[in-house]
């Protein structure tokens, strides 16, 4: 006998993975260069060369037993200290190594934080459009997953809906900015309004409502847009950070959870996160990578290739009459399906070997997502197909 909900999760691939696997099969038939796969958010720029240099440094200068040995459950002190110093330099965070838990990327970190907050009847709120894995993360921890519908077409926060979704069981709001799938960055005005609302509601219901700030795309912003550091605006923020996208290291599984000292019930919260990580067997992040990160906290990605891809796609799609969310960050465009049904539009695009993800699983079924972490050639050669698709939709009207 197996657990039925775990079986369902394992046996049914996500729509994104489904498309990605389809793309692989299709490439074997028509050739890789003839499949325009915009499905998966796998970075397309290599990790900065300093990362490789840091690996060599760690391997050549450190004792091998230390490099490959277990670290403290929360992470090696040198890595936690380096990250705290980085947060303090950049944001004046007032962080210390005692506030940091090194994790295997944002996904398991989110699960640990959600699990730490999963008291009886706990409800966690996501703002659409949202990363689809939030739902299984919350539900597998026994929580109830609530969704605030998207604020279309601005893709900021639908405050009237958020206000009416919060109730006495609300434990946290999960926020992701820069956002997957919309590429939106929540501006300071939006975040201040959110902080005010959550402060008011926390007082009303008699316990803190935390923000879980999911930040794998923090450093991926364009045209000088800045991402406000949420703990400075709302102390009850728990940051889940990852180096997967910022340093193009998604396969290495490294990131951190930061619980600001000013957060309500800091010590209990931090202990519960450590306990949740322990309960899911997720302590002691990869040791080599902790030592590498300790040497790389100053590195920022070179976004030239993404910026150019974004410009090409944005201009090309606009010229065909597509409408899109303002793509200030990450490497996604969230585009309105011209026929009003992104699933049907994605199926149509598939016929032209263009793979795009319908927004249903992101809580926004009228839009589809394009990951522009692809080659420039892919964009240049696929753009005419988007034109063709628009014509097909117009003809069908
Ligand atoms: N959160 C968001 C919004 C993501 O897009 C992703 C990955 O694509 C993750 C979390 C998981 O990232 P990680 O590789 O750090 O586990």
């Amino acid at each position: 006998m197996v657990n039925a909900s775990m079986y369902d999760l394992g046996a049914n691939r996500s729509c994104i993975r489904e498309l990605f696997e389809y793309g692989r099969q299709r490439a074997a038939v028509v050739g890789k260069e003839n499949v325009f796969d915009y499905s998966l958010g796998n970075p397309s720029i290599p990790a900065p060369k300093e990362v490789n240099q840091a690996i060599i440094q760690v391997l050549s200068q450190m004792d091998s037993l230390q490099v490959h040995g277990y670290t403290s459950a929360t992470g090696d002190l040198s890595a936690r200290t380096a990250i705290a110093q980085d947060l303090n330099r950049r944001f004046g965070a007032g962080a210390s190594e005692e506030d940091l838990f090194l994790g295997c990327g944002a996904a398991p970190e989110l699960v640990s934080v959600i699990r730490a907050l999963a008291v009886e009847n706990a409800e966690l709120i996501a703002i659409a459009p949202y990363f689809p894995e939030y739902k299984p993360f919350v539900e597998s921890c026994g929580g109830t997953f609530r969704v605030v519908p998207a604020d279309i077409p601005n893709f900021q926060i639908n405050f009237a809906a958020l206000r009416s979704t919060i109730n006495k069981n609300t434990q946290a709001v999960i926020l992701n900015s820069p956002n997957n799938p919309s590429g939106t960055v929540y501006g300071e005005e939006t975040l201040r309004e959110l902080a005010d609302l959550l402060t008011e509601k926390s007082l009303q219901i008699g316990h803190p409502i935390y923000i879980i700030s999911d930040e794998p795309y923090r450093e991926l912003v364009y045209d000088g847009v800045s991402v406000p550091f949420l703990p400075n605006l709302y102390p009850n923020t728990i940051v889940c950070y990852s180096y997967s996208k910022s340093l193009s290291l998604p396969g290495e599984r490294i990131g951190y959870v930061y619980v600001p000292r000013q957060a309500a019930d800091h010590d209990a919260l931090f202990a519960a996160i450590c306990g949740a990580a322990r309960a899911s067997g997720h302590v002691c992040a990869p040791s080599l990578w902790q030592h590498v990160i300790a040497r790389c906290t100053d590195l920022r990605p070179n976004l030239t290739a993404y910026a150019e891809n974004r410009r090409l796609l944005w201009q090309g799609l606009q010229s065909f009459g597509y409408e899109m969310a303002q793509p200030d960050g990450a490497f996604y465009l969230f585009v309105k399906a011209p026929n009003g049904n992104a699933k049907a539009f994605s199926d149509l695009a598939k016929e032209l070997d263009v793979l795009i993800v319908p927004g249903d699983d992101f809580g926004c079924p009228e839009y589809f997502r394009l990951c522009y972490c692809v080659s420039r050639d892919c964009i240049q050669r696929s753009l005419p197909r988007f034109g063709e698709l628009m014509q097909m939709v117009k003809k069908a009207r």
Side-chain angles (χ1 to χ4, degrees), residues 187-383:
E188 184 159 336
E189 200 181 322
T190 299
L191 295 176
R192 285 197 185 280
E193 192 172 345
L194 177 66
D196 288 347
L197 174 62
L198 296 186
T199 305
E200 175 200 322
K201 287 287 185 181
S202 298
L203 277 172
Q204 214 174 72
I205 64 178
H207 64 80
I209 300 172
Y210 293 97
I211 293 178
I212 302 174
S213 185
D214 178 20
E215 303 191 358
Y217 303 98
R218 156 170 289 284
E219 330 298 348
L220 274 60
V221 280
Y222 308 95
D223 301 335
V225 165
S226 73
V227 181
F229 186 63
L230 251 169
N232 288 348
L233 301 176
Y234 187 70
N236 289 336
T237 297
I238 306 163
V239 174
C240 294
Y241 187 87
S242 163
Y243 294 94
S244 290
K245 319 284 174 164
S246 61
L247 294 183
S248 294
L249 299 171
E252 306 300 353
R253 315 309 300 141
I254 190 78
Y256 61 82
V257 179
Y258 167 55
V259 182
R261 189 120 301 261
Q262 323 81 278
D265 304 324
H266 171 280
D267 292 356
L269 181 58
F270 192 81
I273 292 167
C274 296
R278 177 182 168 195
S280 47
H282 155 238
V283 289
C284 186
S287 172
L288 168 65
W289 284 98
Q290 292 190 41
H291 295 297
V292 171
I293 289 303
R295 289 159 173 77
C296 292
T297 52
D298 282 345
L299 288 185
R300 302 288 168 258
N302 176 350
L303 299 180
T304 314
Y306 292 154
E308 179 59 10
N309 284 358
R310 167 181 172 268
R311 187 191 63 77
L312 267 177
L313 255 185
W314 168 267
Q315 286 179 353
L317 293 177
Q318 262 205 335
S319 73
F320 299 131
Y322 288 91
E323 293 168 39
M324 286 159 276
Q326 177 66 33
D328 284 330
F331 38 50
Y332 305 106
L333 284 187
F334 207 40
V335 187
K336 191 169 178 188
N339 60 353
N341 178 336
K343 175 77 184 74
F345 190 75
S346 164
D347 289 343
L348 194 64
K350 212 166 148 186
E351 288 173 24
L352 301 190
D353 288 321
V354 176
L355 307 185
I356 57 179
V357 182
D360 304 55
D361 291 350
F362 302 108
C364 213
E366 318 91 280
Y367 279 70
F368 63 88
R369 185 187 78 172
L370 291 174
C371 299
Y372 57 81
C373 40
V374 294
S375 69
R376 189 160 316 163
D377 179 66
C378 167
I379 296 177
Q380 280 164 337
R381 291 193 307 113
S382 64
L383 268 175

